[in-house]
Amino acid sequence: MNSPLYSIRMRSARGGHHLSGAERLGSAEDLEQLAAAMVRRALNHTRGQAETIELSLEILDQAQVRCAELPDLHTRLVSDWRQGRQAAAQLLRQAGVSACAVDEAMSAIGGGAAPDGRSMRGAMLIDAASGQRLEPDRARGVRVSRMDLSSSARQALGDRLQVLGLDNDHVREALVLAGKVLTAPGIVAELCWSDDPDYSAGYVASPQLGYVRFPHLKPLGEERGGRAFFIAAGTPDLQRLIDYLETQPVLFDRIGQLHAPQPWGE
Ligand code: AMP
């Protein structure tokens, strides 16, 4: 790494509610273009045009940047969101999440996990054994930040995703976010489906399973989505985990294997 890296983050809102966010890392000469792309995106969101857009940029301490490899990607084909959720639940159980923790996560995300019944801005933290929610703020949740791909990894990932017909922002960004979550201490697994009404896909990720994508985890048109990070029971220092997820810079300089889609059940 020659030139210093900056973190650039965007958060947009409409009608006083969170609309979208984005996280990238880049060198000084990348920042203008990254900022423009983030503003464009906030103004063209499927849930409406942003009314407020906050950008925040900061230089990172290079010694703190951790390099890592992305998880392997799998796609398991399911016929609809109900089958998708059953399959996702089965994988979460396999990853070591209790049945009650899976139920808690799915019903919270499906019903809108924030206190007002909308999607949260960040993720829930759920005890993988008891199903108890542990995030200190149930509207904000925990926002994973300060992660990105190196430019060579971005190129390699784009090339491989294109072959699979998956080269889009949703997949790229979710893979990077899940990748960072899986490097955090005490994480057992993750569950996500989008809050974008036009995007029904979601995933389960765990250190053993990698990133497993399901084309359907919610009905099209549904605006409620969310993320649950399942934490090993008795993780001693929750604040340390939150600090890691929110502030530790992680740069993915290697990609994992990208597998062709396979029907669920095979
Ligand atoms: P998205 O995949 O961007 O549609 O986001 C789906 C849900 O994941 C959102 O409704 C949030 O609850 C959560 N989320 C989005 N971005 C983050 C993030 N950076 N960190 C943690 N949770 C997030």
Side-chain angles (χ1 to χ4, degrees):
M1 240 172 296
N2 306 323
S3 47
L5 275 182
Y6 289 74
S7 151
I8 171 164
R9 297 180 288 146
M10 181 277 285
R11 193 178 141 193
S12 73
R14 179 181 168 82
H17 295 287
H18 175 77
L19 187 62
S20 69
E23 325 278 334
R24 294 291 304 270
L25 305 180
S27 54
E29 58 269 25
D30 301 329
L31 295 178
E32 210 174 307
Q33 197 197 340
L34 290 173
M38 285 182 177
V39 171
R40 203 176 312 122
R41 176 169 160 161
L43 293 175
N44 291 295
H45 198 271
T46 46
R47 287 193 291 129
Q49 191 172 62
E51 291 170 347
T52 61
I53 303 171
E54 288 172 38
L55 282 180
S56 107
L57 294 89
E58 79 193 1
I59 196 161
L60 298 173
D61 176 353
Q62 302 312 296
Q64 297 298 318
V65 178
R66 175 171 173 182
C67 290
E69 180 175 353
L70 281 180
D72 293 350
L73 175 142
H74 305 263
T75 298
R76 305 305 300 268
L77 300 172
V78 287
S79 47
D80 58 25
W81 65 270
R82 287 190 180 84
Q83 191 191 24
R85 285 196 201 170
Q86 274 170 12
Q90 206 170 312
L91 286 190
L92 288 168
R93 299 281 291 118
Q94 211 174 303
V97 180
S98 72
C100 73
V102 172
D103 285 350
E104 167 64 26
M106 291 213 176
S107 58
I109 298 177
D116 63 0
R118 292 171 175 260
S119 301
M120 295 167 71
R121 302 200 290 282
M124 293 181 280
L125 299 181
I126 296 187
D127 182 306
S130 70
Q132 195 190 344
R133 278 175 70 173
L134 302 171
E135 72 279 7
D137 179 336
R138 287 194 173 195
R140 179 182 181 275
V142 174
R143 282 208 52 99
V144 186
S145 184
R146 297 174 176 84
M147 65 285 181
D148 205 346
L149 296 155
S150 69
S151 49
S152 58
R154 178 170 294 277
Q155 180 70 48
L157 182 66
D159 292 347
R160 299 294 315 282
L161 285 176
Q162 205 164 15
V163 174
L164 298 174
L166 292 176
D167 190 23
N168 59 61
D169 286 345
H170 283 293
V171 175
R172 246 180 283 119
E173 289 175 7
L175 193 53
V176 169
L177 194 156
K180 175 167 176 189
V181 173
L182 294 183
T183 67
I187 293 287
V188 173
E190 179 186 351
L191 169 69
C192 165
W193 64 82
S194 178
D195 55 27
D196 181 338
D198 296 341
Y199 192 72
S200 64
Y203 64 87
V204 165
S206 87
Q208 291 78 29
L209 300 167
Y211 176 100
V212 186
R213 213 183 143 260
F214 297 97
H216 312 289
L217 279 188
K218 69 166 193 185
L220 277 175
E222 172 60 77
E223 291 202 355
R224 287 167 300 187
R227 280 188 157 85
F229 303 155
F230 298 95
I231 314 301
T235 295
D237 194 343
L238 201 60
Q239 193 51 52
R240 198 169 138 247
L241 170 64
I242 294 173
D243 288 345
Y244 180 92
L245 292 170
E246 297 194 334
T247 64
Q248 167 67 50
V250 177
L251 185 68
F252 291 95
D253 57 357
R254 287 152 286 152
I255 65 171
Q257 291 182 25
L258 283 82
H259 298 276
Q262 256 202 317
W264 173 252
E266 278 183 13

PDB file of all heavy atoms in Angstrom, residues 23 119-123 142-144 177 193-195 225-227, ligand 1:
ATOM      1  N   GLU A  23     -20.213   2.491   2.009  1.00  0.00           N
ATOM      2  CA  GLU A  23     -18.902   2.520   2.672  1.00  0.00           C
ATOM      3  C   GLU A  23     -17.850   2.158   1.641  1.00  0.00           C
ATOM      4  O   GLU A  23     -17.973   1.131   0.987  1.00  0.00           O
ATOM      5  CB  GLU A  23     -18.815   1.424   3.757  1.00  0.00           C
ATOM      6  CG  GLU A  23     -20.093   1.124   4.507  1.00  0.00           C
ATOM      7  CD  GLU A  23     -20.340   2.102   5.616  1.00  0.00           C
ATOM      8  OE1 GLU A  23     -19.347   2.662   6.115  1.00  0.00           O
ATOM      9  OE2 GLU A  23     -21.509   2.313   5.971  1.00  0.00           O
ATOM     10  N   SER A 119     -37.305  -0.885   8.898  1.00  0.00           N
ATOM     11  CA  SER A 119     -35.993  -1.538   8.926  1.00  0.00           C
ATOM     12  C   SER A 119     -35.058  -0.730   9.813  1.00  0.00           C
ATOM     13  O   SER A 119     -35.169   0.497   9.907  1.00  0.00           O
ATOM     14  CB  SER A 119     -35.401  -1.591   7.519  1.00  0.00           C
ATOM     15  OG  SER A 119     -36.263  -2.292   6.661  1.00  0.00           O
ATOM     16  N   MET A 120     -34.110  -1.414  10.434  1.00  0.00           N
ATOM     17  CA  MET A 120     -33.082  -0.703  11.211  1.00  0.00           C
ATOM     18  C   MET A 120     -32.078  -0.073  10.250  1.00  0.00           C
ATOM     19  O   MET A 120     -31.972  -0.461   9.096  1.00  0.00           O
ATOM     20  CB  MET A 120     -32.345  -1.691  12.124  1.00  0.00           C
ATOM     21  CG  MET A 120     -33.218  -2.297  13.191  1.00  0.00           C
ATOM     22  SD  MET A 120     -32.394  -3.705  13.982  1.00  0.00           S
ATOM     23  CE  MET A 120     -31.105  -2.881  14.916  1.00  0.00           C
ATOM     24  N   ARG A 121     -31.291   0.867  10.756  1.00  0.00           N
ATOM     25  CA  ARG A 121     -30.232   1.448   9.912  1.00  0.00           C
ATOM     26  C   ARG A 121     -29.030   0.506   9.834  1.00  0.00           C
ATOM     27  O   ARG A 121     -28.301   0.502   8.857  1.00  0.00           O
ATOM     28  CB  ARG A 121     -29.789   2.796  10.492  1.00  0.00           C
ATOM     29  CG  ARG A 121     -30.934   3.794  10.604  1.00  0.00           C
ATOM     30  CD  ARG A 121     -30.431   5.209  10.711  1.00  0.00           C
ATOM     31  NE  ARG A 121     -29.775   5.513  11.966  1.00  0.00           N
ATOM     32  CZ  ARG A 121     -30.396   5.772  13.113  1.00  0.00           C
ATOM     33  NH1 ARG A 121     -31.728   5.729  13.167  1.00  0.00           N
ATOM     34  NH2 ARG A 121     -29.724   6.070  14.212  1.00  0.00           N
ATOM     35  N   GLY A 122     -28.813  -0.268  10.880  1.00  0.00           N
ATOM     36  CA  GLY A 122     -27.694  -1.210  10.914  1.00  0.00           C
ATOM     37  C   GLY A 122     -28.194  -2.603  11.242  1.00  0.00           C
ATOM     38  O   GLY A 122     -29.328  -2.953  10.914  1.00  0.00           O
ATOM     39  N   ALA A 123     -27.350  -3.362  11.934  1.00  0.00           N
ATOM     40  CA  ALA A 123     -27.658  -4.777  12.170  1.00  0.00           C
ATOM     41  C   ALA A 123     -28.031  -5.043  13.631  1.00  0.00           C
ATOM     42  O   ALA A 123     -27.610  -4.320  14.531  1.00  0.00           O
ATOM     43  CB  ALA A 123     -26.436  -5.617  11.810  1.00  0.00           C
ATOM     44  N   VAL A 142     -26.012  -1.874  14.695  1.00  0.00           N
ATOM     45  CA  VAL A 142     -24.558  -1.740  14.570  1.00  0.00           C
ATOM     46  C   VAL A 142     -24.243  -1.600  13.086  1.00  0.00           C
ATOM     47  O   VAL A 142     -24.665  -2.425  12.285  1.00  0.00           O
ATOM     48  CB  VAL A 142     -23.855  -2.996  15.138  1.00  0.00           C
ATOM     49  CG1 VAL A 142     -22.356  -2.936  14.890  1.00  0.00           C
ATOM     50  CG2 VAL A 142     -24.160  -3.121  16.619  1.00  0.00           C
ATOM     51  N   ARG A 143     -23.543  -0.511  12.727  1.00  0.00           N
ATOM     52  CA  ARG A 143     -23.232  -0.286  11.305  1.00  0.00           C
ATOM     53  C   ARG A 143     -21.796  -0.698  11.002  1.00  0.00           C
ATOM     54  O   ARG A 143     -20.857  -0.138  11.554  1.00  0.00           O
ATOM     55  CB  ARG A 143     -23.462   1.176  10.914  1.00  0.00           C
ATOM     56  CG  ARG A 143     -24.956   1.443  10.713  1.00  0.00           C
ATOM     57  CD  ARG A 143     -25.283   2.537   9.750  1.00  0.00           C
ATOM     58  NE  ARG A 143     -24.673   2.466   8.441  1.00  0.00           N
ATOM     59  CZ  ARG A 143     -25.265   2.001   7.348  1.00  0.00           C
ATOM     60  NH1 ARG A 143     -26.482   1.497   7.409  1.00  0.00           N
ATOM     61  NH2 ARG A 143     -24.648   2.026   6.192  1.00  0.00           N
ATOM     62  N   VAL A 144     -21.688  -1.697  10.131  1.00  0.00           N
ATOM     63  CA  VAL A 144     -20.355  -2.172   9.740  1.00  0.00           C
ATOM     64  C   VAL A 144     -19.775  -1.166   8.750  1.00  0.00           C
ATOM     65  O   VAL A 144     -20.445  -0.750   7.800  1.00  0.00           O
ATOM     66  CB  VAL A 144     -20.441  -3.561   9.079  1.00  0.00           C
ATOM     67  CG1 VAL A 144     -19.048  -4.105   8.811  1.00  0.00           C
ATOM     68  CG2 VAL A 144     -21.225  -4.501   9.957  1.00  0.00           C
ATOM     69  N   LEU A 177     -19.221  -6.697   3.026  1.00  0.00           N
ATOM     70  CA  LEU A 177     -19.716  -6.480   4.396  1.00  0.00           C
ATOM     71  C   LEU A 177     -19.688  -7.805   5.188  1.00  0.00           C
ATOM     72  O   LEU A 177     -19.158  -7.871   6.301  1.00  0.00           O
ATOM     73  CB  LEU A 177     -21.141  -5.913   4.337  1.00  0.00           C
ATOM     74  CG  LEU A 177     -21.690  -5.315   5.636  1.00  0.00           C
ATOM     75  CD1 LEU A 177     -22.792  -4.303   5.341  1.00  0.00           C
ATOM     76  CD2 LEU A 177     -22.211  -6.348   6.604  1.00  0.00           C
ATOM     77  N   TRP A 193     -31.446  -9.964   4.538  1.00  0.00           N
ATOM     78  CA  TRP A 193     -32.119  -9.698   3.275  1.00  0.00           C
ATOM     79  C   TRP A 193     -32.330  -8.203   3.157  1.00  0.00           C
ATOM     80  O   TRP A 193     -32.374  -7.469   4.147  1.00  0.00           O
ATOM     81  CB  TRP A 193     -33.364 -10.532   3.026  1.00  0.00           C
ATOM     82  CG  TRP A 193     -34.551 -10.397   3.920  1.00  0.00           C
ATOM     83  CD1 TRP A 193     -35.520  -9.459   3.854  1.00  0.00           C
ATOM     84  CD2 TRP A 193     -34.939 -11.307   4.975  1.00  0.00           C
ATOM     85  NE1 TRP A 193     -36.482  -9.719   4.805  1.00  0.00           N
ATOM     86  CE2 TRP A 193     -36.150 -10.842   5.488  1.00  0.00           C
ATOM     87  CE3 TRP A 193     -34.372 -12.483   5.509  1.00  0.00           C
ATOM     88  CZ2 TRP A 193     -36.806 -11.491   6.532  1.00  0.00           C
ATOM     89  CZ3 TRP A 193     -35.027 -13.119   6.548  1.00  0.00           C
ATOM     90  CH2 TRP A 193     -36.230 -12.626   7.053  1.00  0.00           C
ATOM     91  N   SER A 194     -32.416  -7.768   1.887  1.00  0.00           N
ATOM     92  CA  SER A 194     -32.349  -6.342   1.583  1.00  0.00           C
ATOM     93  C   SER A 194     -33.637  -5.603   1.967  1.00  0.00           C
ATOM     94  O   SER A 194     -34.706  -6.204   2.048  1.00  0.00           O
ATOM     95  CB  SER A 194     -32.099  -6.194   0.080  1.00  0.00           C
ATOM     96  OG  SER A 194     -32.069  -4.855  -0.285  1.00  0.00           O
ATOM     97  N   ASP A 195     -33.499  -4.290   2.161  1.00  0.00           N
ATOM     98  CA  ASP A 195     -34.705  -3.469   2.348  1.00  0.00           C
ATOM     99  C   ASP A 195     -35.134  -2.830   1.025  1.00  0.00           C
ATOM    100  O   ASP A 195     -36.096  -2.060   0.987  1.00  0.00           O
ATOM    101  CB  ASP A 195     -34.489  -2.405   3.434  1.00  0.00           C
ATOM    102  CG  ASP A 195     -33.288  -1.524   3.165  1.00  0.00           C
ATOM    103  OD1 ASP A 195     -32.924  -1.342   1.988  1.00  0.00           O
ATOM    104  OD2 ASP A 195     -32.699  -1.004   4.133  1.00  0.00           O
ATOM    105  N   GLY A 225     -36.296  -5.096   5.489  1.00  0.00           N
ATOM    106  CA  GLY A 225     -35.155  -6.003   5.377  1.00  0.00           C
ATOM    107  C   GLY A 225     -34.281  -5.781   6.590  1.00  0.00           C
ATOM    108  O   GLY A 225     -34.611  -4.978   7.465  1.00  0.00           O
ATOM    109  N   GLY A 226     -33.172  -6.473   6.649  1.00  0.00           N
ATOM    110  CA  GLY A 226     -32.289  -6.247   7.792  1.00  0.00           C
ATOM    111  C   GLY A 226     -31.161  -7.250   7.851  1.00  0.00           C
ATOM    112  O   GLY A 226     -30.999  -8.098   6.968  1.00  0.00           O
ATOM    113  N   ARG A 227     -30.387  -7.094   8.909  1.00  0.00           N
ATOM    114  CA  ARG A 227     -29.237  -7.987   9.126  1.00  0.00           C
ATOM    115  C   ARG A 227     -29.221  -8.430  10.577  1.00  0.00           C
ATOM    116  O   ARG A 227     -29.512  -7.624  11.472  1.00  0.00           O
ATOM    117  CB  ARG A 227     -27.933  -7.255   8.844  1.00  0.00           C
ATOM    118  CG  ARG A 227     -27.601  -7.148   7.380  1.00  0.00           C
ATOM    119  CD  ARG A 227     -26.212  -6.584   7.147  1.00  0.00           C
ATOM    120  NE  ARG A 227     -25.712  -6.975   5.862  1.00  0.00           N
ATOM    121  CZ  ARG A 227     -25.967  -6.347   4.708  1.00  0.00           C
ATOM    122  NH1 ARG A 227     -26.729  -5.274   4.689  1.00  0.00           N
ATOM    123  NH2 ARG A 227     -25.460  -6.798   3.571  1.00  0.00           N
TER     124      ARG A 227
HETATM  125  P1  AMP B   1     -29.193  -3.574   2.115  1.00  0.00           P
HETATM  126  O1  AMP B   1     -28.548  -4.904   1.857  1.00  0.00           O
HETATM  127  O2  AMP B   1     -28.292  -2.424   1.846  1.00  0.00           O
HETATM  128  O3  AMP B   1     -30.533  -3.462   1.461  1.00  0.00           O
HETATM  129  O4  AMP B   1     -29.430  -3.517   3.680  1.00  0.00           O
HETATM  130  C1  AMP B   1     -30.324  -4.413   4.306  1.00  0.00           C
HETATM  131  C2  AMP B   1     -30.350  -4.093   5.774  1.00  0.00           C
HETATM  132  O5  AMP B   1     -29.077  -4.355   6.335  1.00  0.00           O
HETATM  133  C3  AMP B   1     -30.646  -2.626   6.115  1.00  0.00           C
HETATM  134  O6  AMP B   1     -32.029  -2.440   6.240  1.00  0.00           O
HETATM  135  C4  AMP B   1     -29.951  -2.467   7.446  1.00  0.00           C
HETATM  136  O7  AMP B   1     -30.783  -2.955   8.479  1.00  0.00           O
HETATM  137  C5  AMP B   1     -28.772  -3.406   7.324  1.00  0.00           C
HETATM  138  N1  AMP B   1     -27.531  -2.724   6.908  1.00  0.00           N
HETATM  139  C6  AMP B   1     -27.304  -2.001   5.786  1.00  0.00           C
HETATM  140  N2  AMP B   1     -26.051  -1.530   5.756  1.00  0.00           N
HETATM  141  C7  AMP B   1     -25.450  -1.978   6.877  1.00  0.00           C
HETATM  142  C8  AMP B   1     -24.158  -1.835   7.435  1.00  0.00           C
HETATM  143  N3  AMP B   1     -23.194  -1.122   6.828  1.00  0.00           N
HETATM  144  N4  AMP B   1     -23.904  -2.425   8.614  1.00  0.00           N
HETATM  145  C9  AMP B   1     -24.856  -3.147   9.253  1.00  0.00           C
HETATM  146  N5  AMP B   1     -26.088  -3.322   8.786  1.00  0.00           N
HETATM  147  C10 AMP B   1     -26.395  -2.755   7.613  1.00  0.00           C
END
